[in-house]
Structure formats: structure tokens, C-alpha cells
Amino acid sequence: MAQSKRVELDETDRRILDELTRDARQSVTALAAKVHISRAHAYERIRRLHEQGVVLRYTAVIDPAKAGLEASAYVTLRLKQNTWDTLGPKLRRIPQVQHVALVGGTFDVMLLVRARGTAELRDVIFERIQPMPEVVDTQTFLIFEDVDVGG
């Protein structure tokens, strides 16, 4: 995966991003009023942030338990050397893998895995992830409770 080029953001861009993070469904008119710019200016700024790849997509933040995802875990992976380019796309195709991070330290990758129950979680980890030829070792950390502190 290629490193993204940094985009220069001014204070207005940062305030727009804060507002979008808080509530991406608000109207451009409402956002413009909160940021103290015109609607046309807000629309243009948001369009530019999309084109520059700063805003990637809009998504809903769900309560996993209420959505039926009652088993969650962070799973760390140690990889065979130089296998990230083939492993990354495979991990992103597993629906239960909600976040993939290439990290430095005693392991190489950290995953957030959410499943309908412990049997499905076990299947994803033991039957889908561990057998991948790029994976040397895994460690699983069950999540008993998690709190979204963003937005």
C-alpha cells in the first residue's frame, strides 16, 4: 500500500472535518453556519476535501451488540517477511474484519474482528486467518466492553 501524500489543511478545513466527524448527515447549510462560512464556500471546501482524499467516505457508527455482533476481539498477527502486499487484500475481504492496521512492534498487524457469536469468531480466526500462508502467529484479545469516544 502506497504512503499517502499529506494535504495542507487550514483552520476552516479542520473545523469542517470536525463537523463532518460529529455528524456527516447534517446539511451543508447547517455545517456552513457552524463554521461561519457561506454555503457555497462550504460545498466547495467539502468537494476539495473529497478530491484530495482527505474525506474517504461517509459511514454509520453502529453499536455492535445491538447489531447482533456479540463477539469482538483484537487479533494480532506476526507475518512472514515481505508478505504484507499479498495478505492485506485477503484480510480486507473477510467481512468480520472491521479494521486492519499494519503496525510496528512485537507483531506486524492488528485486526478488529466482530462476529455474531464466539463460534463465528473462532471460525474466522482459526479457519480463515491462521491458515493463511503469510501468517506466522496470532494472538487474540477478547473485547468484553468497548466504547466509541469519537465524535
Side-chain angles (χ1 to χ4, degrees):
M1 298 178 81
Q3 187 74 0
S4 297
K5 184 180 177 203
R6 184 171 178 200
V7 174
E8 292 299 320
L9 302 175
D10 64 15
E11 187 57 32
T12 301
D13 290 331
R14 292 182 198 293
R15 290 185 0 239
I16 289 170
L17 292 173
D18 286 344
E19 283 301 322
L20 289 174
T21 301
R22 236 182 308 286
D23 180 6
R25 292 184 65 186
Q26 66 183 299
S27 70
V28 175
T29 302
L31 183 144
K34 291 175 185 172
V35 178
H36 306 293
I37 59 176
S38 72
R39 182 190 170 289
H41 192 133
Y43 181 81
E44 181 57 29
R45 291 271 187 142
I46 294 168
R47 184 196 58 73
R48 182 178 47 77
L49 291 167
H50 276 276
E51 285 180 358
Q52 293 174 326
V54 176
V55 175
L56 300 175
R57 68 182 183 273
Y58 297 99
T59 186
V61 177
I62 64 163
D63 179 315
K66 288 180 181 177
L69 301 172
E70 297 178 0
S72 299
Y74 288 107
V75 181
T76 63
L77 312 177
R78 282 189 319 114
L79 307 182
K80 290 182 182 171
Q81 200 165 15
N82 299 318
T83 59
W84 171 244
D85 288 342
T86 59
L87 180 66
K90 290 180 186 179
L91 293 171
R92 287 190 293 274
R93 285 193 295 269
I94 300 172
Q96 295 86 349
V97 174
Q98 292 197 346
H99 186 83
V100 178
L102 182 64
V103 298
T106 56
F107 48 86
D108 304 302
V109 176
M110 180 173 274
L111 309 174
L112 172 58
V113 180
R114 295 199 190 271
R116 290 182 298 246
T118 55
E120 182 179 64
L121 185 63
R122 179 206 169 285
D123 182 61
V124 169
I125 296 167
F126 293 140
E127 304 300 325
R128 300 204 52 200
I129 295 171
Q130 283 184 349
M132 291 180 175
E134 300 88 352
V135 175
V136 172
D137 185 42
T138 68
Q139 192 167 6
T140 301
F141 301 88
L142 292 176
I143 299 171
F144 297 117
E145 181 177 339
D146 60 335
V147 178
D148 183 6
V149 296

